[in-house]
Amino acid sequence: MTAPQKNRVARRVLATAAGLATVGALVAAMPAAANEDRSPSPSPAQGQGQGQGQGRTVDVQLLSFNDLHGNLEPPAGSAGSVTEKQADGTTKTIPAGGVEYLATSLRDARKGHPYSITAAGGDMVGASPLLSGLFHDEPTIEALNKIDLDVTTVGNHEFDEGAVELARLQNGGCHPTEGCYEKGKKFKGADFPYLAANVTSEKTGKPVLKPYTVWKKNGVKVGFIGVTLEGTPNIVTAEGVKGLKFHDEIETVNKYAEELDKQGVKSIVTLIHEGGAPASSSYNYDCDSPGAGDGISGPIVEIAKGITSKVDALVTGHTHQAYACTIPDPAGKPRLVTSASSFGKLYTDTTLTYDRRTNDIVRTSVKSMKTANHIVSREQPKAKDMTDLIGRWNKLAAPIANAPQGYISADINGRGATTPETPLGDLIADAQLKGMAPADKGGAQIAFMNPGGIRSDLVHKASGSEGDGVVTYGEAFTVQPFTNMMNAVDLTGAQLITALQQQVSGSNEASPKILQVSEGFTYTLDMTKTGAARLVTDSVKLNGDAIDPAKTYRVAMNEFLAGGGDGFPVFAEGKNKLVGASDLDMLNAYLAANSSAQSPLAPPSADRITFLR
């Protein structure tokens, strides 16, 4: 890779959705393998036991996972572990994840199951570590092909770079601006279908990708409908969803379930990139205690209750939680709803009993459906083809990935923090304020960072040969993978107060999105109250002075927030916008200017927001 190429890649400019009219043509070229029988044929011996022969019922194995986010290598820090509940009620933390181990787990799980399907619940790519994100997630698609993924739905992050780039991931072809990454090799695209039943083109009104697919083998037919959350435009940049419409999940699934039913496909699974929150963080928590679905809350509960009983199981995602629950369908029949955490740390193994006479899944009782989440242990053998794949792409990424950016004295937690305000969130907000404060850079007085944009932790332990405490470009990229451009805008004090209220009201009331704030900006949230009243208005201060509702302030934030993303429409009212460098560039510049091997950065204390509970 030449120096200019490295520079272009490192500063990734997100692809726009311009040219959306070409998506239909691109999608038309999707691999015919979407409906082909890709499973190994059973031997005569396999056709005998466990209802897997030509008897009335057949056990169909459904392996599933979700929210991989391009994590090919084992995730670092707290992002790379799962919590397991022990028999005595205590919990144990277990390192997990990495495609070398995920491939081994899935391949071992398939043994002895002639009818086995592997499906995913979205966000396979996007917000990815540098190893995948640097190459626009081509390495992850290649890995999923080798893992023999059969089908996935789109998630919100599949739209980070727009519909045209998503179509390229499906159909193949080298990147339109950066070209092919390996000499003599052209990116082939996904062997498996991406489904997007509830995402349509504003021009044509048709889904931008296939709404469903049917897996077939020896007369067994299982339909898969794929949808992402209707609120995707609220959590993706405006450019990423330009020209697209996102529709109600329940209405869409019910529409296509009816269509499949008319085609004689009676066994249907919905892959939905929306999820819930179990009452426990332990992956093996029983969320059907004391009754079916009692241990889970969140959007997926009402969605599951509204999806037609023609659908036999729901594979979910988005919330990065682990659960295997039974939520009754509208007809009162038990129905499985599963999620396998994130980053390839778990996979779900579900047995669907297929009735050849009715062509439907038997759901007469919970006992007729078996499901469980399993840890992708790092104590098992690595899959050699995945090790080779990682090594090949790491060699290409190394000149950029290993460059030191700064030094830290201890872990600075972001994604892995247990508090709404995080040490890494404060650090990022400080970096953005520092970068946008000079008069010619924006004149910012305050900086806000959205919590969802912080994708990992800065870990003190060395990830390679760089040494403990060294932050490499690759590690910084993993924390800030979107390379959103920074904006400085004018907002009144009244608008700032509204923004703080929007953290805990409106679309964010049920699940607050606490903005990370720069040094000198302080306020109090009273969580004993509800909605906008949670903000203690007269507590909002800048450098000790109360915010004046009539005064204008210069505020720095990334372009996603500045466009009103994450349920902050007031930010889109900002005026006199000045565009600066990317958030990643500002983080790296701050690390370089404010740390050294002799004087590393300590974790911020995360005490700028006071919470009353």
Side-chain angles (χ1 to χ4, degrees), residues 47-71:
Q48 300 304 311
Q50 301 177 6
Q52 293 174 335
Q54 295 300 312
R56 174 165 176 172
T57 61
V58 174
D59 283 348
V60 177
Q61 180 189 55
L62 176 61
L63 301 175
S64 57
F65 57 98
N66 50 277
D67 295 277
L68 182 63
H69 290 289
N71 278 263

Side-chain angles (χ1 to χ4, degrees), residues 18 20 71 73 110 125 154 213 226 234 240 301 345 353 358 371 383 407 409 438 443 470 484 487 501 546 566 608:
L20 183 61
N71 278 263
E73 297 178 294
R110 292 180 189 130
V125 301
V154 294
T213 191
N234 296 327
V301 176
K345 294 180 291 189
T353 301
T358 64
T371 189
Y407 301 83
S409 64
V470 179
N484 277 320
N487 291 181
Q501 291 171 332
D566 259 358
R608 299 166 188 179

Side-chain angles (χ1 to χ4, degrees), residues 55-225:
R56 174 165 176 172
T57 61
V58 174
D59 283 348
V60 177
Q61 180 189 55
L62 176 61
L63 301 175
S64 57
F65 57 98
N66 50 277
D67 295 277
L68 182 63
H69 290 289
N71 278 263
L72 301 180
E73 297 178 294
S78 59
S81 63
V82 295
T83 301
E84 182 179 67
K85 183 179 180 181
Q86 306 298 295
D88 62 0
T90 61
T91 58
K92 179 181 179 181
T93 300
I94 302 173
V99 295
E100 294 162 297
Y101 304 108
L102 178 61
T104 297
S105 290
L106 294 176
R107 289 165 182 169
D108 286 348
R110 292 180 189 130
K111 292 177 181 177
H113 295 275
Y115 294 87
S116 183
I117 310 168
T118 303
D123 275 6
M124 294 296 97
V125 301
S128 305
L130 183 136
L131 177 60
S132 186
L134 192 62
F135 305 105
H136 295 274
D137 284 310
E138 290 181 19
T140 295
I141 298 299
E142 181 183 346
L144 293 172
N145 287 343
K146 290 179 180 291
I147 284 176
D148 289 329
L149 181 64
D150 288 298
V151 57
T152 184
T153 184
V154 294
N156 53 288
H157 281 288
E158 265 81 16
F159 294 94
D160 283 347
E161 297 190 47
V164 171
E165 173 63 5
L166 174 57
R168 186 184 76 88
L169 292 181
Q170 175 71 87
N171 301 309
C174 296
H175 193 271
T177 59
E178 292 166 11
C180 299
Y181 296 112
E182 296 179 285
K183 187 176 180 180
K185 288 187 178 181
K186 182 180 179 181
F187 176 56
K188 62 179 285 189
D191 290 343
F192 51 90
Y194 259 112
L195 305 181
N198 68 328
V199 187
T200 60
S201 163
E202 288 182 347
K203 291 183 178 180
T204 67
K206 296 180 179 180
V208 295
L209 293 172
K210 287 187 174 183
Y212 59 79
T213 191
V214 181
W215 183 92
K216 302 175 183 177
K217 183 181 179 69
N218 296 338
V220 174
K221 296 184 293 185
V222 181
F224 289 86
I225 302 168

Side-chain angles (χ1 to χ4, degrees), residues 419-421 500-506 508-515 523-537 539 609-613:
T419 53
E421 181 186 356
L500 297 179
Q501 291 171 332
Q502 288 175 347
Q503 298 177 106
V504 290
S505 63
N508 291 331
E509 181 164 5
S511 182
K513 290 186 174 68
I514 305 302
L515 294 166
Y523 66 94
T524 298
L525 286 174
D526 185 349
M527 302 307 287
T528 65
K529 298 183 179 179
T530 59
R534 287 171 167 171
L535 178 69
V536 180
T537 306
S539 72
I609 308 171
T610 300
F611 294 88
L612 303 178
R613 300 181 184 278

Side-chain angles (χ1 to χ4, degrees), residues 446-451 489-509 511-517 521-525 527 531-537 540 547-549 553-557 560-574 609 611:
I446 305 163
F448 291 128
M449 176 63 196
N450 57 304
V489 298
D490 285 349
L491 290 170
T492 65
Q495 289 172 316
L496 286 175
I497 290 171
T498 297
L500 297 179
Q501 291 171 332
Q502 288 175 347
Q503 298 177 106
V504 290
S505 63
S507 62
N508 291 331
E509 181 164 5
S511 182
K513 290 186 174 68
I514 305 302
L515 294 166
Q516 309 297 287
V517 300
F521 190 80
T522 58
Y523 66 94
T524 298
L525 286 174
M527 302 307 287
R534 287 171 167 171
L535 178 69
V536 180
T537 306
V540 184
I547 289 292
D548 182 348
Y553 298 85
R554 290 292 283 170
V555 184
M557 66 190 80
F560 169 64
L561 272 181
D566 259 358
F568 293 95
V570 70
F571 283 147
E573 299 172 9
I609 308 171
F611 294 88

Side-chain angles (χ1 to χ4, degrees), residues 365-550:
S365 68
V366 174
K367 292 182 179 179
S368 66
M369 301 177 293
K370 301 174 184 177
T371 189
N373 279 319
H374 300 275
I375 297 176
V376 176
S377 169
R378 296 183 195 168
E379 295 183 356
Q380 63 186 316
K382 297 178 180 180
K384 185 180 183 303
D385 57 341
M386 293 297 154
T387 302
D388 293 344
L389 181 151
I390 289 171
R392 198 178 88 244
W393 286 103
N394 261 332
K395 186 175 181 180
L396 290 174
I400 295 172
N402 297 332
Q405 303 300 306
Y407 301 83
I408 57 176
S409 64
D411 289 354
I412 303 181
N413 287 331
R415 202 72 170 182
T418 58
T419 53
E421 181 186 356
T422 70
L424 187 51
D426 284 358
L427 174 63
I428 290 170
D430 288 348
Q432 294 176 352
L433 178 61
K434 185 80 170 179
M436 301 294 282
D440 63 337
K441 302 294 185 183
Q445 301 162 276
I446 305 163
F448 291 128
M449 176 63 196
N450 57 304
I454 304 169
R455 305 305 298 185
S456 188
D457 307 323
L458 286 180
V459 180
H460 185 263
K461 182 177 175 60
S463 59
S465 60
E466 75 274 12
D468 291 349
V470 179
V471 178
T472 65
Y473 186 91
E475 291 166 340
F477 186 99
T478 298
V479 169
Q480 294 261 263
F482 300 107
T483 55
N484 277 320
M485 305 311 290
M486 289 300 301
N487 291 181
V489 298
D490 285 349
L491 290 170
T492 65
Q495 289 172 316
L496 286 175
I497 290 171
T498 297
L500 297 179
Q501 291 171 332
Q502 288 175 347
Q503 298 177 106
V504 290
S505 63
S507 62
N508 291 331
E509 181 164 5
S511 182
K513 290 186 174 68
I514 305 302
L515 294 166
Q516 309 297 287
V517 300
S518 55
E519 188 175 11
F521 190 80
T522 58
Y523 66 94
T524 298
L525 286 174
D526 185 349
M527 302 307 287
T528 65
K529 298 183 179 179
T530 59
R534 287 171 167 171
L535 178 69
V536 180
T537 306
D538 59 8
S539 72
V540 184
K541 297 180 180 180
L542 177 60
N543 299 322
D545 296 328
I547 289 292
D548 182 348

